[in-house]
Amino acid sequence: MAIVKMSKFTLLAFNSQKEILLENLQKFEGVQFINLQEKDTEELDFLKEANEYKKASEIDGELAKVKFSLEFMNKFIEREKGFKAIKKGKKNLKYDEVKEFSEKNDWVATYEVLKKYDSRLNELKNEASRLQGEIETLTPWIKLDASFDDLKSIHSSDYFLGSINKKLMEEFLEKFNNEIEASYVEKLDEVKDEINLLVIFHKTFSEQSNNILKEYGLNKVDLKYSGKPKDIIRDYKEKIEKYEKEELEIIEEVKKYKDKIDGLEIVFEYYKMEENKARAVENFLKTDKVLLIEGWTPEDKKLELQDILKQCCGNEYFIEFMEPSAEDVDNVPILLKNNKLAEPYEAVTAMYSLPHYDEVDPTPILAPFFFVFFGMMLSDAGYGLVMFIASSLALKLLPLDKPVQKFMRLFRSISVSTIAWGILYGSYFGDAPSLFIPGGIKPLWLDPALNPMTVLMVAGIMGIIHLYTGLGVKAYELIKSGKVLDALFDVGFWYATVTGILLLLAGPAIGIQSLFVVGKYMAIIGAVGLVATQGRSNKGIVGKIAGGLFGLYGITGYLGDILSYSRLLALGLATGLIGSSFNLMIRLLGKGAFALIFGILIFLGGHIFNLAINVLGAYVHACRLQYLEFFGKFYNGGGRQFTPFKTKNEYVNIIKD
């Protein structure tokens, strides 16, 4: 069975053993805890919650310091990016190595220095920003060739600094100069539709002057500075330059800490481990001396778990293993285990939903169909070869994480199917061989563009096999659970009905009348059976018949499902025809150096685009055929993934001893 059998365990251990127990279970990576604190069980009322909020809070504080240090340095220290970073991968360290290094590393001193640098940088930026704002305020008045102090020191006169609308300027000047004898008006600057002015008038004309200023809507500005604007601006700019220089000096000092980054990343992993342990305790219950733990572990890891408990607890523990009960079925975590051929296709299943514990894992069943369907939709040997080489090199040369490795193995697998279908269709980067070989390379089977109906018929047959397989799995699950009659009613009659209709259509088409007769009787028997049984859960004879008729209406869904497989033809044609279109463009360029250069560019650009867009299309539609047409016949899903208590490995791969 592809779903790994799980055992539920109950573990009793002393509180004094908690730290060493959690450490060893974290290394084991084979248990998932059950949250006992969420259970509402009267039998457990004498137990208390085993929380470590204070410890978790302290760890979070230390983790925040390490995270700050890394993020702060990453702002200024250039790290390897792109392919180089991927190729380098993560450092591999053992659990105990991470712990020992972190406990000895004086990372706090590094944090404190970096924190001071950060504080000073913030001060410099804030002060520079403030001064820049002051400069922007003073710039419109830079032509004022007088000190603000001098203006304030005039005892016999008042002054006004403000702006007026450009359209009112002439009228204002005329009136102000005529009515205010002891006055002076200077135009300082023009900003959009406003003109900045300095207005000086004798105090004996203060009331009259202010009335005119109000009449023409002059906006007064209050500038509380000492000195001339241009001198103040110059001083502020010099200070900003000084701050910027100091900022650069600090950044250079920060860069000297580059060799601390690797160590801080290890420390980060250590505190993540500690945080994980502290949070794990929130699943447990306890008395003053005893700890109660429940969880799940794979059946084949029970002995290894017991060995670990003996190593860390001696004989001072009690553990009991149980088979999942009927109440547990919905909560059993799911771990899939398939052979090397089917394992990459677990990614396809997981994208939809993991199976329930009492379901069949669809992965090994969908794998061959996905393999064939994807290849048939992409169907180009050249593209398949590119995919195979790229995925193989990635797996061989790059230190990829396990999920990415699985995805690369999936693409390497379906690239083989793509190559095979490309050879059958005679498609190699479209009809690229014809650019060099008269007539190109002939298809091993047929050209889908010339024989679309043949390919459509093959696609339909594949669809029928796919749907029948899904129904077969449903029958298997029903029979396995002892519902033999349900298998007959919900699968057997559908087999008879759909097969009968197909024979009814096929008999006259191929000239075999007996198939028509057999199909007619099969369809009638199947239809009558469906009407009689599909409403069996309804109450009353009318309800049962109505339910049966509604169930029979589902035949339209089956016919629609079969038509869905026409995409196997459509996408295969699209790949080949688009590729051939780019090749045609190259032919139209003619010969010569110009044609060669642009031909290469069109070939590379066009086929990379075609590959990318059709790989995506083939993948999406291959998934669609599984999720809608296939899974809809038997699969419920909704299983929760087995998430063992383990390290996180954000910066470092923590490997088992």
Side-chain angles (χ1 to χ4, degrees):
M1 185 170 67
I3 299 177
V4 175
K5 288 190 69 176
M6 288 284 169
S7 284
K8 187 178 181 181
F9 67 85
T10 300
L11 172 63
L12 292 171
F14 287 111
N15 279 323
S16 59
Q17 299 168 331
K18 179 175 60 181
E19 285 302 317
I20 190 169
L21 178 63
L22 286 172
E23 187 172 308
N24 280 274
L25 290 178
Q26 196 173 45
K27 291 180 188 178
F28 174 49
E29 299 184 354
V31 299
Q32 178 177 324
F33 298 123
I34 295 170
N35 193 336
L36 294 174
Q37 297 182 13
E38 292 181 351
K39 282 192 172 184
D40 186 19
T41 308
E42 293 182 4
E43 293 87 350
L44 303 179
D45 284 349
F46 67 97
L47 295 168
K48 298 180 292 185
E49 295 181 352
N51 296 319
E52 292 188 346
Y53 295 133
K54 184 178 179 181
K55 182 178 179 181
S57 178
E58 290 173 355
I59 292 169
D60 286 345
E62 299 299 279
L63 198 56
K65 292 177 183 178
V66 181
K67 189 175 182 181
F68 159 79
S69 301
L70 288 169
E71 290 178 349
F72 180 68
M73 285 192 286
N74 284 334
K75 291 179 185 177
F76 310 111
I77 298 173
E78 191 171 344
R79 307 285 302 275
E80 289 180 335
K81 297 179 181 178
F83 182 75
K84 282 187 178 180
I86 296 172
K87 187 177 180 181
K88 182 180 178 182
K90 298 177 183 176
K91 185 182 291 185
N92 294 321
L93 289 174
K94 294 179 181 178
Y95 186 100
D96 291 333
E97 289 175 335
V98 172
K99 182 179 179 181
E100 183 180 355
F101 176 88
S102 301
E103 289 174 346
K104 292 180 178 178
N105 187 275
D106 186 18
W107 65 271
V108 177
T110 302
Y111 161 76
E112 289 174 349
V113 173
L114 295 175
K115 190 66 178 175
K116 287 179 182 177
Y117 285 151
D118 179 60
S119 297
R120 183 55 184 160
L121 284 174
N122 286 331
E123 288 174 5
L124 293 171
K125 287 179 180 177
N126 290 337
E127 186 61 18
S129 178
R130 184 186 70 79
L131 292 178
Q132 189 61 47
E134 300 286 1
I135 290 171
E136 290 173 3
T137 302
L138 284 165
T139 298
W141 311 99
I142 197 168
K143 292 180 181 179
L144 176 64
D145 193 22
S147 168
F148 289 110
D149 294 327
D150 292 341
L151 291 173
K152 294 172 187 175
S153 65
I154 302 174
H155 298 293
S156 60
S157 300
D158 286 335
Y159 75 94
F160 176 93
L161 284 171
S163 59
I164 186 173
N165 189 288
K166 187 193 299 185
K167 295 177 181 178
L168 301 175
M169 180 64 183
E170 290 184 9
E171 184 182 337
F172 164 75
L173 282 176
E174 183 181 352
K175 183 169 184 176
F176 195 83
N177 290 331
N178 288 335
E179 296 185 12
I180 311 298
E181 296 177 4
S183 67
Y184 170 77
V185 178
E186 181 180 348
K187 178 181 175 183
L188 298 174
D189 201 359
E190 189 174 314
V191 181
K192 295 183 179 178
D193 295 331
E194 298 288 320
I195 295 175
N196 295 331
L197 300 174
L198 166 64
V199 182
I200 301 175
F201 47 85
H202 197 273
K203 285 186 176 181
T204 56
F205 296 97
S206 290
E207 184 178 352
Q208 192 176 355
S209 298
N210 287 325
N211 288 336
I212 295 173
L213 294 174
K214 288 179 182 178
E215 181 183 346
Y216 285 90
L218 268 76
N219 300 310
K220 186 175 183 180
V221 295
D222 187 15
L223 300 174
K224 297 178 180 180
Y225 297 96
S226 296
K228 295 180 180 180
K230 63 180 180 181
D231 294 336
I232 299 171
I233 289 173
R234 185 187 64 246
D235 291 342
Y236 285 171
K237 285 183 176 179
E238 287 175 357
K239 286 182 180 180
I240 290 173
E241 288 177 5
K242 182 182 175 183
Y243 294 155
E244 289 175 346
K245 183 180 178 182
E246 186 180 348
E247 184 178 342
L248 291 173
E249 289 172 354
I250 291 173
I251 291 171
E252 288 304 314
E253 289 298 315
V254 172
K255 289 179 179 178
K256 293 178 182 178
Y257 284 79
K258 184 176 182 179
D259 60 342
K260 302 287 186 182
I261 291 178
D262 289 346
L264 283 167
E265 288 179 344
I266 296 172
V267 174
F268 180 88
E269 294 293 350
Y270 169 71
Y271 279 108
K272 269 294 181 182
M273 287 159 39
E274 293 300 300
E275 180 191 44
N276 201 15
K277 287 192 289 185
R279 298 300 180 197
V281 176
E282 296 173 10
N283 294 291
F284 309 155
L285 295 175
K286 67 174 183 177
T287 64
D288 291 337
K289 293 185 177 180
V290 178
L291 200 64
L292 173 62
I293 301 172
E294 278 191 7
W296 300 98
T297 190
E299 183 81 24
D300 58 2
K301 289 195 172 186
K302 287 196 302 185
L303 293 177
E304 188 179 350
L305 174 57
Q306 287 179 301
D307 289 340
I308 288 170
L309 293 173
K310 286 179 182 178
Q311 290 173 17
C312 64
C313 302
N315 293 319
E316 297 177 338
Y317 75 93
F318 169 81
I319 189 165
E320 180 184 16
F321 293 99
M322 296 156 281
E323 292 266 337
S325 66
E327 295 177 355
D328 290 325
V329 168
D330 290 338
N331 298 315
V332 181
I334 304 301
L335 179 63
L336 303 181
K337 187 176 182 180
N338 289 285
N339 59 40
K340 289 184 178 180
L341 291 176
E343 184 187 15
Y345 294 86
E346 290 174 1
V348 179
T349 301
M351 281 180 64
Y352 180 80
S353 178
L354 290 173
H356 270 289
Y357 190 67
D358 57 354
E359 278 190 296
V360 171
D361 175 16
T363 304
I365 307 166
L366 73 80
F369 290 108
F370 194 96
F371 176 85
V372 172
F373 293 164
F374 182 93
M376 193 173 180
M377 284 188 279
L378 191 57
S379 63
D380 188 284
Y383 296 163
L385 185 61
V386 170
M387 287 173 57
F388 183 84
I389 293 171
S391 55
S392 297
L393 288 175
L395 288 166
K396 186 175 181 63
L397 301 177
L398 302 179
L400 304 173
D401 292 335
K402 287 184 179 179
V404 182
Q405 284 183 16
K406 186 179 286 188
F407 210 70
M408 285 295 107
R409 289 201 300 272
L410 171 64
F411 268 82
R412 184 171 63 180
S413 173
I414 54 183
S415 69
V416 175
S417 175
T418 304
I419 293 170
W421 280 101
I423 293 170
L424 290 172
Y425 286 172
S427 181
Y428 304 83
F429 298 106
D431 61 350
S434 64
L435 294 171
F436 313 101
I437 305 169
I441 300 175
K442 300 298 181 184
L444 189 63
W445 177 36
L446 54 75
D447 183 344
L450 300 177
N451 302 275
M453 294 310 297
T454 303
V455 178
L456 183 62
M457 184 175 68
V458 171
I461 292 170
M462 287 182 176
I464 293 166
I465 295 170
H466 196 213
L467 296 176
Y468 276 26
T469 303
L471 285 170
V473 176
K474 182 177 182 179
Y476 167 79
E477 289 184 329
L478 289 170
I479 293 170
K480 182 183 173 184
S481 59
K483 300 176 181 178
V484 179
L485 285 178
D486 285 349
L488 173 64
F489 298 156
D490 296 337
V491 178
F493 287 144
W494 277 117
Y495 272 149
T497 305
V498 176
T499 305
I501 291 172
L502 292 173
L503 292 177
L504 276 170
L505 297 173
I510 61 177
I512 303 176
Q513 189 62 27
S514 57
L515 287 179
F516 177 85
V517 176
V518 172
K520 180 176 70 174
Y521 287 111
M522 284 185 69
I524 292 171
I525 292 170
V528 171
L530 289 171
V531 172
T533 61
Q534 292 304 291
R536 61 187 183 276
S537 60
N538 295 346
K539 293 181 178 180
I541 188 66
V542 176
K544 292 181 185 297
I545 293 173
L549 290 171
F550 183 77
L552 180 62
Y553 180 73
I555 192 66
T556 58
Y558 278 89
L559 296 176
D561 289 345
I562 293 171
L563 289 175
S564 291
Y565 292 86
S566 61
R567 69 190 69 240
L568 298 175
L569 164 66
L571 269 76
L573 279 174
T575 304
L577 293 175
I578 294 172
S580 297
S581 298
F582 288 117
N583 297 333
L584 177 60
M585 292 169 64
I586 296 169
R587 288 193 194 92
L588 295 174
L589 290 174
K591 296 181 180 179
F594 174 85
L596 179 62
I597 293 170
F598 280 90
I600 291 171
L601 292 175
I602 291 171
F603 186 88
L604 292 175
H607 285 290
I608 288 172
F609 168 79
N610 195 30
L611 172 62
I613 200 73
N614 281 293
V615 163
L616 178 62
Y619 185 82
V620 168
H621 286 286
C623 286
R624 184 190 184 283
L625 290 173
Q626 309 302 324
Y627 299 158
L628 297 184
E629 278 68 35
F630 187 55
F631 281 2
K633 301 297 176 286
F634 70 95
Y635 192 57
N636 292 315
R640 297 184 303 167
Q641 186 173 11
F642 178 64
T643 51
F645 175 54
K646 55 184 280 190
T647 56
K648 298 297 183 183
N649 300 349
E650 187 167 337
Y651 295 109
V652 178
N653 284 324
I654 302 174
I655 57 177
K656 284 190 174 185
D657 296 340

